[in-house]
Amino acid sequence: MQVEQLSTASGVVIEGPLLITPQIFGDGRGFFYESWNQRRFDEAVGCPTTFVQDNHSRSCRGVLRGLHYQLEPEPQGKLVRCPVGVIFDVAVDLRLSSATFGEWVGAELSASNQQQLWVPVGFGHGFLTLTGSAEVLYKASGYWSKSCERSLRWNDPDLAIAWPLGGMEPLLAQKDADAPELAAVMAAGEVFA
């Protein structure tokens, strides 16, 4: 397993999110790899992490889901992978105490690279489907809670996320289309310490 930190578009490393590349064993019959190992994951992130929920979504090309996060008492860290298709996966730093507050990192996750993105508590998360369809699986460290769930505007100019839209308009859920910008969630106190 290879683990690397991600940098913003300006080259600044954001502490927390990690891109995890498994060791894949393949031959003419197919492939095998270990997609989850508690001990190795805890070593990679530097602390014990418990996952309580697995989620699975399927989206067609152009679907943009996010940016989502959950506040206390049910914050969620997410370990995201895309075993079918290709997505552009994004994590936004929402920790006020962080030097990289409001910065984002992104990675292309796909069936061919089998990479995973660790999005720790304190980050907003979203993804854009780049292929005809894609399936996304993620482990969550907290249970889903409607009262704790928040959304952040995917196209907030203050975030300036470089979504690879290629001229297409994203397909959004109503809650994502109506999500507030970063300044509004800050004013409401709906970010992390």
Side-chain angles (χ1 to χ4, degrees), residues 10 31 35 39 49 104 110 170 175:
S10 63
F31 68 84
S35 63
R39 182 176 39 234
T49 302
W104 64 274
S110 70
K175 74 175 184 178

Side-chain angles (χ1 to χ4, degrees), residues 38-184:
Q38 183 74 56
R39 182 176 39 234
R40 288 186 180 161
F41 183 79
D42 289 349
E43 288 170 3
V45 300
C47 64
T49 302
T50 301
F51 292 108
V52 298
Q53 183 174 315
D54 280 1
N55 298 323
H56 186 152
S57 73
R58 183 175 190 280
S59 304
C60 60
R61 179 187 301 276
V63 168
L64 195 153
R65 296 185 187 269
L67 301 158
H68 302 148
Y69 61 103
Q70 284 190 187
L71 297 172
E72 294 287 347
E74 288 290 347
Q76 288 185 323
K78 298 174 182 177
L79 180 61
V80 185
R81 65 189 182 109
C82 180
V84 176
V86 181
I87 64 168
F88 182 67
D89 206 36
V90 170
V92 177
D93 191 346
L94 298 176
R95 303 167 298 174
L96 278 173
S97 61
S98 171
T100 54
F101 176 79
E103 299 283 332
W104 64 274
V105 292
E108 195 171 276
L109 306 181
S110 70
S112 61
N113 69 25
Q114 297 294 341
Q115 292 177 319
Q116 300 176 38
L117 182 63
W118 167 235
V119 181
V121 168
F123 287 78
H125 172 254
F127 67 87
L128 172 67
T129 304
L130 301 177
T131 49
S133 67
E135 294 188 23
V136 173
L137 304 175
Y138 64 92
K139 298 179 131 357
S141 65
Y143 294 105
W144 177 79
S145 168
K146 186 171 181 60
S147 64
C148 298
E149 182 182 44
R150 300 294 185 274
S151 294
L152 180 62
R153 180 72 54 89
W154 68 277
N155 62 348
D156 181 340
D158 288 337
L159 299 177
I161 297 172
W163 297 103
L165 288 164
M168 71 178 153
E169 284 295 318
L171 302 170
L172 303 166
Q174 197 60 53
K175 74 175 184 178
D176 295 336
D178 296 339
E181 294 181 348
L182 182 58

